Amino acid sequence: TAGMALDGQGSLFAVARCYPTFDSLPSSDLDTMLLKYSIDGSLAFAKVYHDVDEAYATDMLIDKDGNIVLGGFNWLAKFDPLGALIWTQRYNSADISRPEIQQLATDASGAIYAAGYSDDWETGFACKLDTDGAVLWAKKWLINNELGDIEEPQLGMALSGAALYIL
């Protein structure tokens, strides 16, 4: 799985990568499967999200209203507690090549923070979105790889009040 989270009622949400099984879709694309398990362990739903560009998720969170937010390559998506899509937001930037969201966080107001790397692992980025998916701000930085060639660096993010920490 790419992530798991509990909602306020004790239901478990999980997100995993999967390959499409539809004949009309390219078999090399990865999709995202969103699963919800009730508190008794029974499967409440399993839904697949597909996009033309590798739409698999890399992180997830449950917001203050019980909505599910997924992040992946170049996109964020918000679903209601029943798995219906509310919005999708692409992180488009001419100077960041195919950004991969690695970490998600939310604050008390419901704003969403996302951070990750470009697909060449040379540029890091962070952005803040409002509850409707509009980008409020976005920052980027160059990665100084003094330790040698790190193929896939890992990113950590913490949110404390109005302060966002990224390592």
mmCIF file of all heavy atoms in Angstrom, residues 73-127:
data_model
loop_
_atom_site.group_PDB
_atom_site.id
_atom_site.type_symbol
_atom_site.label_atom_id
_atom_site.label_comp_id
_atom_site.label_asym_id
_atom_site.label_seq_id
_atom_site.Cartn_x
_atom_site.Cartn_y
_atom_site.Cartn_z
ATOM 1 N N PHE A 73 1.904 11.269 -8.647
ATOM 2 C CA PHE A 73 2.689 11.961 -9.659
ATOM 3 C C PHE A 73 1.868 13.099 -10.232
ATOM 4 O O PHE A 73 0.860 12.862 -10.882
ATOM 5 C CB PHE A 73 3.078 11.010 -10.803
ATOM 6 C CG PHE A 73 4.306 10.213 -10.533
ATOM 7 C CD1 PHE A 73 4.213 8.859 -10.302
ATOM 8 C CD2 PHE A 73 5.546 10.819 -10.491
ATOM 9 C CE1 PHE A 73 5.349 8.104 -10.051
ATOM 10 C CE2 PHE A 73 6.687 10.086 -10.242
ATOM 11 C CZ PHE A 73 6.578 8.720 -10.015
ATOM 12 N N ASN A 74 2.274 14.339 -9.961
ATOM 13 C CA ASN A 74 1.734 15.497 -10.649
ATOM 14 C C ASN A 74 0.263 15.784 -10.327
ATOM 15 O O ASN A 74 -0.372 16.581 -10.991
ATOM 16 C CB ASN A 74 1.981 15.257 -12.148
ATOM 17 C CG ASN A 74 1.418 16.265 -13.084
ATOM 18 O OD1 ASN A 74 1.007 17.335 -12.714
ATOM 19 N ND2 ASN A 74 1.421 15.911 -14.344
ATOM 20 N N TRP A 75 -0.321 15.159 -9.291
ATOM 21 C CA TRP A 75 -1.734 15.384 -9.019
ATOM 22 C C TRP A 75 -2.084 15.195 -7.551
ATOM 23 O O TRP A 75 -1.396 14.507 -6.799
ATOM 24 C CB TRP A 75 -2.619 14.471 -9.868
ATOM 25 C CG TRP A 75 -2.416 13.010 -9.590
ATOM 26 C CD1 TRP A 75 -1.494 12.195 -10.177
ATOM 27 C CD2 TRP A 75 -3.107 12.194 -8.645
ATOM 28 N NE1 TRP A 75 -1.579 10.922 -9.666
ATOM 29 C CE2 TRP A 75 -2.556 10.901 -8.713
ATOM 30 C CE3 TRP A 75 -4.135 12.429 -7.741
ATOM 31 C CZ2 TRP A 75 -3.011 9.848 -7.919
ATOM 32 C CZ3 TRP A 75 -4.583 11.374 -6.949
ATOM 33 C CH2 TRP A 75 -4.024 10.104 -7.054
ATOM 34 N N LEU A 76 -3.186 15.835 -7.185
ATOM 35 C CA LEU A 76 -3.865 15.627 -5.910
ATOM 36 C C LEU A 76 -5.336 15.376 -6.230
ATOM 37 O O LEU A 76 -5.865 15.940 -7.191
ATOM 38 C CB LEU A 76 -3.785 16.875 -5.025
ATOM 39 C CG LEU A 76 -2.463 17.182 -4.369
ATOM 40 C CD1 LEU A 76 -2.436 18.626 -3.903
ATOM 41 C CD2 LEU A 76 -2.266 16.252 -3.187
ATOM 42 N N ALA A 77 -5.998 14.572 -5.425
ATOM 43 C CA ALA A 77 -7.427 14.343 -5.607
ATOM 44 C C ALA A 77 -8.084 14.263 -4.243
ATOM 45 O O ALA A 77 -7.496 13.768 -3.288
ATOM 46 C CB ALA A 77 -7.675 13.056 -6.392
ATOM 47 N N LYS A 78 -9.303 14.773 -4.161
ATOM 48 C CA LYS A 78 -10.070 14.737 -2.910
ATOM 49 C C LYS A 78 -11.362 13.977 -3.163
ATOM 50 O O LYS A 78 -12.053 14.210 -4.163
ATOM 51 C CB LYS A 78 -10.375 16.162 -2.445
ATOM 52 C CG LYS A 78 -11.044 16.247 -1.089
ATOM 53 C CD LYS A 78 -11.146 17.713 -0.675
ATOM 54 C CE LYS A 78 -11.673 17.871 0.719
ATOM 55 N NZ LYS A 78 -11.704 19.296 1.115
ATOM 56 N N PHE A 79 -11.659 13.037 -2.263
ATOM 57 C CA PHE A 79 -12.848 12.196 -2.354
ATOM 58 C C PHE A 79 -13.682 12.377 -1.094
ATOM 59 O O PHE A 79 -13.140 12.620 -0.016
ATOM 60 C CB PHE A 79 -12.452 10.713 -2.462
ATOM 61 C CG PHE A 79 -11.619 10.393 -3.672
ATOM 62 C CD1 PHE A 79 -10.250 10.587 -3.665
ATOM 63 C CD2 PHE A 79 -12.212 9.897 -4.815
ATOM 64 C CE1 PHE A 79 -9.472 10.283 -4.779
ATOM 65 C CE2 PHE A 79 -11.447 9.597 -5.935
ATOM 66 C CZ PHE A 79 -10.080 9.788 -5.912
ATOM 67 N N ASP A 80 -14.999 12.214 -1.212
ATOM 68 C CA ASP A 80 -15.829 12.244 -0.016
ATOM 69 C C ASP A 80 -15.690 10.920 0.734
ATOM 70 O O ASP A 80 -15.041 9.988 0.227
ATOM 71 C CB ASP A 80 -17.281 12.589 -0.364
ATOM 72 C CG ASP A 80 -18.038 11.494 -1.098
ATOM 73 O OD1 ASP A 80 -17.606 10.315 -1.108
ATOM 74 O OD2 ASP A 80 -19.088 11.809 -1.671
ATOM 75 N N PRO A 81 -16.262 10.792 1.941
ATOM 76 C CA PRO A 81 -16.095 9.559 2.719
ATOM 77 C C PRO A 81 -16.632 8.291 2.050
ATOM 78 O O PRO A 81 -16.283 7.187 2.444
ATOM 79 C CB PRO A 81 -16.851 9.854 4.020
ATOM 80 C CG PRO A 81 -16.796 11.343 4.153
ATOM 81 C CD PRO A 81 -16.905 11.852 2.740
ATOM 82 N N LEU A 82 -17.470 8.460 1.013
ATOM 83 C CA LEU A 82 -17.985 7.298 0.281
ATOM 84 C C LEU A 82 -17.164 6.993 -0.969
ATOM 85 O O LEU A 82 -17.506 6.101 -1.736
ATOM 86 C CB LEU A 82 -19.448 7.522 -0.091
ATOM 87 C CG LEU A 82 -20.398 7.724 1.098
ATOM 88 C CD1 LEU A 82 -21.802 8.040 0.617
ATOM 89 C CD2 LEU A 82 -20.374 6.508 2.001
ATOM 90 N N GLY A 83 -16.092 7.761 -1.201
ATOM 91 C CA GLY A 83 -15.207 7.499 -2.328
ATOM 92 C C GLY A 83 -15.555 8.225 -3.602
ATOM 93 O O GLY A 83 -14.928 7.991 -4.637
ATOM 94 N N ALA A 84 -16.542 9.136 -3.569
ATOM 95 C CA ALA A 84 -16.887 9.912 -4.768
ATOM 96 C C ALA A 84 -15.885 11.058 -4.934
ATOM 97 O O ALA A 84 -15.553 11.747 -3.973
ATOM 98 C CB ALA A 84 -18.306 10.462 -4.664
ATOM 99 N N LEU A 85 -15.419 11.270 -6.148
ATOM 100 C CA LEU A 85 -14.444 12.315 -6.442
ATOM 101 C C LEU A 85 -15.062 13.695 -6.231
ATOM 102 O O LEU A 85 -16.130 13.995 -6.764
ATOM 103 C CB LEU A 85 -13.933 12.174 -7.876
ATOM 104 C CG LEU A 85 -12.880 13.183 -8.320
ATOM 105 C CD1 LEU A 85 -11.584 12.999 -7.537
ATOM 106 C CD2 LEU A 85 -12.616 13.035 -9.815
ATOM 107 N N ILE A 86 -14.382 14.545 -5.445
ATOM 108 C CA ILE A 86 -14.802 15.931 -5.233
ATOM 109 C C ILE A 86 -14.051 16.847 -6.190
ATOM 110 O O ILE A 86 -14.651 17.676 -6.855
ATOM 111 C CB ILE A 86 -14.568 16.360 -3.762
ATOM 112 C CG1 ILE A 86 -15.411 15.497 -2.817
ATOM 113 C CG2 ILE A 86 -14.870 17.845 -3.573
ATOM 114 C CD1 ILE A 86 -15.096 15.705 -1.347
ATOM 115 N N TRP A 87 -12.726 16.722 -6.246
ATOM 116 C CA TRP A 87 -11.911 17.506 -7.173
ATOM 117 C C TRP A 87 -10.581 16.825 -7.418
ATOM 118 O O TRP A 87 -10.147 15.983 -6.653
ATOM 119 C CB TRP A 87 -11.707 18.951 -6.717
ATOM 120 C CG TRP A 87 -11.122 19.179 -5.346
ATOM 121 C CD1 TRP A 87 -11.808 19.585 -4.233
ATOM 122 C CD2 TRP A 87 -9.756 19.050 -4.918
ATOM 123 N NE1 TRP A 87 -10.960 19.708 -3.167
ATOM 124 C CE2 TRP A 87 -9.692 19.388 -3.545
ATOM 125 C CE3 TRP A 87 -8.576 18.670 -5.547
ATOM 126 C CZ2 TRP A 87 -8.512 19.366 -2.824
ATOM 127 C CZ3 TRP A 87 -7.392 18.645 -4.817
ATOM 128 C CH2 TRP A 87 -7.388 18.997 -3.467
ATOM 129 N N THR A 88 -9.964 17.221 -8.522
ATOM 130 C CA THR A 88 -8.611 16.799 -8.859
ATOM 131 C C THR A 88 -7.825 18.058 -9.179
ATOM 132 O O THR A 88 -8.332 18.942 -9.861
ATOM 133 C CB THR A 88 -8.590 15.866 -10.089
ATOM 134 O OG1 THR A 88 -9.349 14.713 -9.802
ATOM 135 C CG2 THR A 88 -7.179 15.447 -10.437
ATOM 136 N N GLN A 89 -6.597 18.137 -8.688
ATOM 137 C CA GLN A 89 -5.731 19.283 -8.950
ATOM 138 C C GLN A 89 -4.400 18.769 -9.466
ATOM 139 O O GLN A 89 -3.785 17.897 -8.851
ATOM 140 C CB GLN A 89 -5.524 20.079 -7.659
ATOM 141 C CG GLN A 89 -4.538 21.213 -7.754
ATOM 142 C CD GLN A 89 -4.969 22.324 -8.677
ATOM 143 O OE1 GLN A 89 -4.658 22.260 -9.852
ATOM 144 N NE2 GLN A 89 -5.668 23.306 -8.167
ATOM 145 N N ARG A 90 -3.994 19.284 -10.589
ATOM 146 C CA ARG A 90 -2.671 18.941 -11.129
ATOM 147 C C ARG A 90 -1.689 19.998 -10.681
ATOM 148 O O ARG A 90 -2.007 21.174 -10.688
ATOM 149 C CB ARG A 90 -2.698 18.858 -12.636
ATOM 150 C CG ARG A 90 -3.465 17.662 -13.115
ATOM 151 C CD ARG A 90 -2.915 17.203 -14.441
ATOM 152 N NE ARG A 90 -3.502 15.946 -14.806
ATOM 153 C CZ ARG A 90 -2.967 14.773 -14.517
ATOM 154 N NH1 ARG A 90 -1.855 14.692 -13.859
ATOM 155 N NH2 ARG A 90 -3.554 13.661 -14.880
ATOM 156 N N TYR A 91 -0.497 19.553 -10.317
ATOM 157 C CA TYR A 91 0.570 20.485 -9.971
ATOM 158 C C TYR A 91 1.379 20.694 -11.229
ATOM 159 O O TYR A 91 2.222 19.891 -11.578
ATOM 160 C CB TYR A 91 1.438 19.932 -8.845
ATOM 161 C CG TYR A 91 2.460 20.930 -8.356
ATOM 162 C CD1 TYR A 91 2.132 21.849 -7.383
ATOM 163 C CD2 TYR A 91 3.728 20.961 -8.895
ATOM 164 C CE1 TYR A 91 3.051 22.775 -6.944
ATOM 165 C CE2 TYR A 91 4.654 21.883 -8.465
ATOM 166 C CZ TYR A 91 4.311 22.788 -7.492
ATOM 167 O OH TYR A 91 5.220 23.698 -7.069
ATOM 168 N N ASN A 92 1.060 21.760 -11.962
ATOM 169 C CA ASN A 92 1.739 22.038 -13.224
ATOM 170 C C ASN A 92 2.731 23.177 -13.038
ATOM 171 O O ASN A 92 2.378 24.234 -12.550
ATOM 172 C CB ASN A 92 0.736 22.415 -14.311
ATOM 173 C CG ASN A 92 -0.172 21.269 -14.650
ATOM 174 O OD1 ASN A 92 0.277 20.138 -14.732
ATOM 175 N ND2 ASN A 92 -1.448 21.538 -14.830
ATOM 176 N N SER A 93 3.956 22.949 -13.412
ATOM 177 C CA SER A 93 4.986 23.967 -13.314
ATOM 178 C C SER A 93 6.006 23.715 -14.417
ATOM 179 O O SER A 93 6.470 22.599 -14.587
ATOM 180 C CB SER A 93 5.667 23.910 -11.949
ATOM 181 O OG SER A 93 6.732 24.819 -11.896
ATOM 182 N N ALA A 94 6.347 24.765 -15.148
ATOM 183 C CA ALA A 94 7.287 24.609 -16.256
ATOM 184 C C ALA A 94 8.688 24.246 -15.773
ATOM 185 O O ALA A 94 9.458 23.654 -16.512
ATOM 186 C CB ALA A 94 7.339 25.895 -17.066
ATOM 187 N N ASP A 95 9.007 24.579 -14.525
ATOM 188 C CA ASP A 95 10.364 24.340 -14.048
ATOM 189 C C ASP A 95 10.483 23.146 -13.103
ATOM 190 O O ASP A 95 11.520 22.918 -12.517
ATOM 191 C CB ASP A 95 10.949 25.597 -13.411
ATOM 192 C CG ASP A 95 10.027 26.212 -12.378
ATOM 193 O OD1 ASP A 95 8.873 25.777 -12.273
ATOM 194 O OD2 ASP A 95 10.460 27.140 -11.697
ATOM 195 N N ILE A 96 9.433 22.362 -12.937
ATOM 196 C CA ILE A 96 9.508 21.114 -12.173
ATOM 197 C C ILE A 96 8.987 19.998 -13.070
ATOM 198 O O ILE A 96 7.824 19.986 -13.439
ATOM 199 C CB ILE A 96 8.708 21.176 -10.860
ATOM 200 C CG1 ILE A 96 9.262 22.262 -9.947
ATOM 201 C CG2 ILE A 96 8.744 19.816 -10.160
ATOM 202 C CD1 ILE A 96 8.515 22.415 -8.649
ATOM 203 N N SER A 97 9.857 19.076 -13.409
ATOM 204 C CA SER A 97 9.514 17.989 -14.310
ATOM 205 C C SER A 97 8.796 16.875 -13.550
ATOM 206 O O SER A 97 9.351 16.277 -12.645
ATOM 207 C CB SER A 97 10.791 17.458 -14.952
ATOM 208 O OG SER A 97 10.523 16.295 -15.684
ATOM 209 N N ARG A 98 7.560 16.621 -13.905
ATOM 210 C CA ARG A 98 6.763 15.534 -13.314
ATOM 211 C C ARG A 98 6.931 15.408 -11.811
ATOM 212 O O ARG A 98 7.531 14.472 -11.303
ATOM 213 C CB ARG A 98 7.106 14.213 -13.981
ATOM 214 C CG ARG A 98 6.564 14.090 -15.370
ATOM 215 C CD ARG A 98 6.791 12.713 -15.905
ATOM 216 N NE ARG A 98 6.438 11.738 -14.886
ATOM 217 C CZ ARG A 98 5.818 10.597 -15.123
ATOM 218 N NH1 ARG A 98 5.503 10.283 -16.318
ATOM 219 N NH2 ARG A 98 5.548 9.768 -14.154
ATOM 220 N N PRO A 99 6.374 16.329 -11.059
ATOM 221 C CA PRO A 99 6.525 16.260 -9.604
ATOM 222 C C PRO A 99 5.820 15.042 -9.013
ATOM 223 O O PRO A 99 4.728 14.684 -9.435
ATOM 224 C CB PRO A 99 5.882 17.557 -9.116
ATOM 225 C CG PRO A 99 4.957 17.968 -10.196
ATOM 226 C CD PRO A 99 5.540 17.451 -11.481
ATOM 227 N N GLU A 100 6.483 14.415 -8.061
ATOM 228 C CA GLU A 100 5.900 13.295 -7.324
ATOM 229 C C GLU A 100 5.656 13.741 -5.890
ATOM 230 O O GLU A 100 6.596 14.066 -5.165
ATOM 231 C CB GLU A 100 6.831 12.087 -7.307
ATOM 232 C CG GLU A 100 6.263 10.945 -6.479
ATOM 233 C CD GLU A 100 7.199 9.777 -6.346
ATOM 234 O OE1 GLU A 100 8.131 9.647 -7.146
ATOM 235 O OE2 GLU A 100 6.989 8.983 -5.410
ATOM 236 N N ILE A 101 4.408 13.768 -5.491
ATOM 237 C CA ILE A 101 4.068 14.120 -4.116
ATOM 238 C C ILE A 101 4.434 12.937 -3.232
ATOM 239 O O ILE A 101 4.019 11.813 -3.485
ATOM 240 C CB ILE A 101 2.581 14.467 -3.993
ATOM 241 C CG1 ILE A 101 2.294 15.744 -4.785
ATOM 242 C CG2 ILE A 101 2.173 14.604 -2.540
ATOM 243 C CD1 ILE A 101 0.845 16.046 -4.968
ATOM 244 N N GLN A 102 5.212 13.205 -2.192
ATOM 245 C CA GLN A 102 5.612 12.149 -1.261
ATOM 246 C C GLN A 102 4.967 12.286 0.107
ATOM 247 O O GLN A 102 4.841 11.296 0.823
ATOM 248 C CB GLN A 102 7.127 12.126 -1.103
ATOM 249 C CG GLN A 102 7.837 11.628 -2.327
ATOM 250 C CD GLN A 102 9.298 11.347 -2.058
ATOM 251 O OE1 GLN A 102 9.905 11.912 -1.160
ATOM 252 N NE2 GLN A 102 9.871 10.474 -2.836
ATOM 253 N N GLN A 103 4.607 13.499 0.490
ATOM 254 C CA GLN A 103 4.041 13.727 1.811
ATOM 255 C C GLN A 103 2.843 14.661 1.717
ATOM 256 O O GLN A 103 2.869 15.636 0.958
ATOM 257 C CB GLN A 103 5.082 14.378 2.739
ATOM 258 C CG GLN A 103 6.285 13.520 3.024
ATOM 259 C CD GLN A 103 5.976 12.426 4.017
ATOM 260 O OE1 GLN A 103 5.393 12.679 5.067
ATOM 261 N NE2 GLN A 103 6.365 11.217 3.702
ATOM 262 N N LEU A 104 1.821 14.371 2.506
ATOM 263 C CA LEU A 104 0.637 15.212 2.618
ATOM 264 C C LEU A 104 0.382 15.526 4.078
ATOM 265 O O LEU A 104 0.660 14.701 4.955
ATOM 266 C CB LEU A 104 -0.594 14.500 2.052
ATOM 267 C CG LEU A 104 -0.636 14.256 0.558
ATOM 268 C CD1 LEU A 104 -1.811 13.348 0.206
ATOM 269 C CD2 LEU A 104 -0.752 15.576 -0.196
ATOM 270 N N ALA A 105 -0.165 16.713 4.341
ATOM 271 C CA ALA A 105 -0.573 17.094 5.691
ATOM 272 C C ALA A 105 -1.763 18.041 5.559
ATOM 273 O O ALA A 105 -2.001 18.623 4.503
ATOM 274 C CB ALA A 105 0.577 17.772 6.432
ATOM 275 N N THR A 106 -2.515 18.179 6.632
ATOM 276 C CA THR A 106 -3.632 19.121 6.652
ATOM 277 C C THR A 106 -3.599 19.860 7.975
ATOM 278 O O THR A 106 -3.146 19.320 8.990
ATOM 279 C CB THR A 106 -4.973 18.399 6.432
ATOM 280 O OG1 THR A 106 -6.026 19.354 6.317
ATOM 281 C CG2 THR A 106 -5.290 17.433 7.541
ATOM 282 N N ASP A 107 -4.101 21.109 7.968
ATOM 283 C CA ASP A 107 -4.129 21.885 9.209
ATOM 284 C C ASP A 107 -5.562 21.968 9.734
ATOM 285 O O ASP A 107 -6.490 21.388 9.144
ATOM 286 C CB ASP A 107 -3.488 23.261 9.019
ATOM 287 C CG ASP A 107 -4.226 24.152 8.030
ATOM 288 O OD1 ASP A 107 -5.406 23.888 7.720
ATOM 289 O OD2 ASP A 107 -3.601 25.129 7.561
ATOM 290 N N ALA A 108 -5.764 22.688 10.819
ATOM 291 C CA ALA A 108 -7.073 22.768 11.471
ATOM 292 C C ALA A 108 -8.138 23.397 10.577
ATOM 293 O O ALA A 108 -9.327 23.094 10.717
ATOM 294 C CB ALA A 108 -6.952 23.546 12.776
ATOM 295 N N SER A 109 -7.738 24.253 9.653
ATOM 296 C CA SER A 109 -8.702 24.895 8.749
ATOM 297 C C SER A 109 -9.085 23.988 7.576
ATOM 298 O O SER A 109 -9.994 24.310 6.827
ATOM 299 C CB SER A 109 -8.122 26.210 8.215
ATOM 300 O OG SER A 109 -7.097 25.956 7.268
ATOM 301 N N GLY A 110 -8.349 22.886 7.391
ATOM 302 C CA GLY A 110 -8.604 21.981 6.282
ATOM 303 C C GLY A 110 -7.700 22.210 5.086
ATOM 304 O O GLY A 110 -7.813 21.505 4.083
ATOM 305 N N ALA A 111 -6.802 23.208 5.168
ATOM 306 C CA ALA A 111 -5.850 23.439 4.078
ATOM 307 C C ALA A 111 -4.958 22.210 3.928
ATOM 308 O O ALA A 111 -4.669 21.506 4.895
ATOM 309 C CB ALA A 111 -5.003 24.675 4.358
ATOM 310 N N ILE A 112 -4.520 21.953 2.712
ATOM 311 C CA ILE A 112 -3.720 20.769 2.394
ATOM 312 C C ILE A 112 -2.311 21.216 2.010
ATOM 313 O O ILE A 112 -2.142 22.150 1.219
ATOM 314 C CB ILE A 112 -4.361 19.988 1.237
ATOM 315 C CG1 ILE A 112 -5.765 19.537 1.623
ATOM 316 C CG2 ILE A 112 -3.484 18.807 0.825
ATOM 317 C CD1 ILE A 112 -6.633 19.171 0.453
ATOM 318 N N TYR A 113 -1.324 20.545 2.570
ATOM 319 C CA TYR A 113 0.081 20.793 2.249
ATOM 320 C C TYR A 113 0.614 19.550 1.552
ATOM 321 O O TYR A 113 0.355 18.426 1.991
ATOM 322 C CB TYR A 113 0.889 21.051 3.518
ATOM 323 C CG TYR A 113 0.435 22.281 4.266
ATOM 324 C CD1 TYR A 113 -0.672 22.236 5.103
ATOM 325 C CD2 TYR A 113 1.119 23.484 4.125
ATOM 326 C CE1 TYR A 113 -1.084 23.371 5.783
ATOM 327 C CE2 TYR A 113 0.712 24.618 4.805
ATOM 328 C CZ TYR A 113 -0.396 24.552 5.635
ATOM 329 O OH TYR A 113 -0.807 25.673 6.307
ATOM 330 N N ALA A 114 1.352 19.758 0.468
ATOM 331 C CA ALA A 114 1.953 18.651 -0.278
ATOM 332 C C ALA A 114 3.414 18.975 -0.525
ATOM 333 O O ALA A 114 3.773 20.133 -0.753
ATOM 334 C CB ALA A 114 1.232 18.449 -1.606
ATOM 335 N N ALA A 115 4.270 17.960 -0.456
ATOM 336 C CA ALA A 115 5.699 18.151 -0.719
ATOM 337 C C ALA A 115 6.233 16.915 -1.421
ATOM 338 O O ALA A 115 5.719 15.810 -1.245
ATOM 339 C CB ALA A 115 6.463 18.402 0.576
ATOM 340 N N GLY A 116 7.278 17.124 -2.223
ATOM 341 C CA GLY A 116 7.874 16.006 -2.936
ATOM 342 C C GLY A 116 9.039 16.442 -3.784
ATOM 343 O O GLY A 116 9.669 17.471 -3.512
ATOM 344 N N TYR A 117 9.286 15.667 -4.851
ATOM 345 C CA TYR A 117 10.435 15.862 -5.724
ATOM 346 C C TYR A 117 10.025 15.790 -7.176
ATOM 347 O O TYR A 117 9.016 15.186 -7.511
ATOM 348 C CB TYR A 117 11.481 14.760 -5.494
ATOM 349 C CG TYR A 117 12.090 14.778 -4.131
ATOM 350 C CD1 TYR A 117 11.693 13.869 -3.170
ATOM 351 C CD2 TYR A 117 13.071 15.699 -3.821
ATOM 352 C CE1 TYR A 117 12.269 13.882 -1.913
ATOM 353 C CE2 TYR A 117 13.652 15.717 -2.568
ATOM 354 C CZ TYR A 117 13.245 14.807 -1.616
ATOM 355 O OH TYR A 117 13.807 14.831 -0.385
ATOM 356 N N SER A 118 10.885 16.341 -8.043
ATOM 357 C CA SER A 118 10.709 16.156 -9.478
ATOM 358 C C SER A 118 11.153 14.737 -9.829
ATOM 359 O O SER A 118 11.822 14.074 -9.039
ATOM 360 C CB SER A 118 11.551 17.174 -10.251
ATOM 361 O OG SER A 118 12.920 16.993 -9.961
ATOM 362 N N ASP A 119 10.793 14.285 -11.018
ATOM 363 C CA ASP A 119 11.142 12.909 -11.384
ATOM 364 C C ASP A 119 12.634 12.706 -11.603
ATOM 365 O O ASP A 119 13.109 11.582 -11.634
ATOM 366 C CB ASP A 119 10.339 12.423 -12.591
ATOM 367 C CG ASP A 119 10.707 13.109 -13.895
ATOM 368 O OD1 ASP A 119 11.403 14.141 -13.855
ATOM 369 O OD2 ASP A 119 10.287 12.616 -14.946
ATOM 370 N N ASP A 120 13.405 13.799 -11.735
ATOM 371 C CA ASP A 120 14.858 13.640 -11.847
ATOM 372 C C ASP A 120 15.553 13.759 -10.487
ATOM 373 O O ASP A 120 16.768 13.731 -10.407
ATOM 374 C CB ASP A 120 15.437 14.659 -12.839
ATOM 375 C CG ASP A 120 15.183 16.100 -12.408
ATOM 376 O OD1 ASP A 120 14.707 16.341 -11.280
ATOM 377 O OD2 ASP A 120 15.467 16.996 -13.219
ATOM 378 N N TRP A 121 14.787 13.930 -9.428
ATOM 379 C CA TRP A 121 15.276 14.008 -8.044
ATOM 380 C C TRP A 121 16.208 15.196 -7.814
ATOM 381 O O TRP A 121 16.991 15.208 -6.892
ATOM 382 C CB TRP A 121 15.960 12.708 -7.622
ATOM 383 C CG TRP A 121 15.076 11.521 -7.794
ATOM 384 C CD1 TRP A 121 15.173 10.581 -8.776
ATOM 385 C CD2 TRP A 121 13.937 11.171 -7.026
ATOM 386 N NE1 TRP A 121 14.179 9.657 -8.653
ATOM 387 C CE2 TRP A 121 13.408 9.994 -7.580
ATOM 388 C CE3 TRP A 121 13.312 11.724 -5.922
ATOM 389 C CZ2 TRP A 121 12.272 9.371 -7.062
ATOM 390 C CZ3 TRP A 121 12.193 11.091 -5.402
ATOM 391 C CH2 TRP A 121 11.694 9.931 -5.972
ATOM 392 N N GLU A 122 16.115 16.225 -8.667
ATOM 393 C CA GLU A 122 16.989 17.385 -8.520
ATOM 394 C C GLU A 122 16.275 18.605 -7.957
ATOM 395 O O GLU A 122 16.918 19.558 -7.548
ATOM 396 C CB GLU A 122 17.636 17.735 -9.866
ATOM 397 C CG GLU A 122 18.602 16.667 -10.335
ATOM 398 C CD GLU A 122 19.243 16.998 -11.667
ATOM 399 O OE1 GLU A 122 18.965 18.081 -12.216
ATOM 400 O OE2 GLU A 122 20.016 16.159 -12.155
ATOM 401 N N THR A 123 14.955 18.584 -7.943
ATOM 402 C CA THR A 123 14.187 19.720 -7.457
ATOM 403 C C THR A 123 13.157 19.244 -6.439
ATOM 404 O O THR A 123 12.403 18.318 -6.701
ATOM 405 C CB THR A 123 13.454 20.419 -8.628
ATOM 406 O OG1 THR A 123 14.407 20.744 -9.637
ATOM 407 C CG2 THR A 123 12.765 21.675 -8.160
ATOM 408 N N GLY A 124 13.135 19.899 -5.286
ATOM 409 C CA GLY A 124 12.105 19.637 -4.296
ATOM 410 C C GLY A 124 11.030 20.710 -4.400
ATOM 411 O O GLY A 124 11.277 21.811 -4.912
ATOM 412 N N PHE A 125 9.824 20.415 -3.930
ATOM 413 C CA PHE A 125 8.754 21.406 -3.973
ATOM 414 C C PHE A 125 7.809 21.210 -2.798
ATOM 415 O O PHE A 125 7.734 20.131 -2.201
ATOM 416 C CB PHE A 125 7.971 21.335 -5.292
ATOM 417 C CG PHE A 125 7.112 20.106 -5.402
ATOM 418 C CD1 PHE A 125 5.794 20.106 -4.991
ATOM 419 C CD2 PHE A 125 7.641 18.934 -5.911
ATOM 420 C CE1 PHE A 125 5.015 18.964 -5.075
ATOM 421 C CE2 PHE A 125 6.874 17.783 -6.010
ATOM 422 C CZ PHE A 125 5.562 17.807 -5.584
ATOM 423 N N ALA A 126 7.098 22.265 -2.464
ATOM 424 C CA ALA A 126 6.038 22.223 -1.462
ATOM 425 C C ALA A 126 4.956 23.189 -1.913
ATOM 426 O O ALA A 126 5.241 24.207 -2.570
ATOM 427 C CB ALA A 126 6.562 22.616 -0.094
ATOM 428 N N CYS A 127 3.705 22.871 -1.608
ATOM 429 C CA CYS A 127 2.608 23.773 -1.949
ATOM 430 C C CYS A 127 1.509 23.648 -0.903
ATOM 431 O O CYS A 127 1.435 22.661 -0.172
ATOM 432 C CB CYS A 127 2.065 23.492 -3.350
ATOM 433 S SG CYS A 127 1.426 21.837 -3.621
#
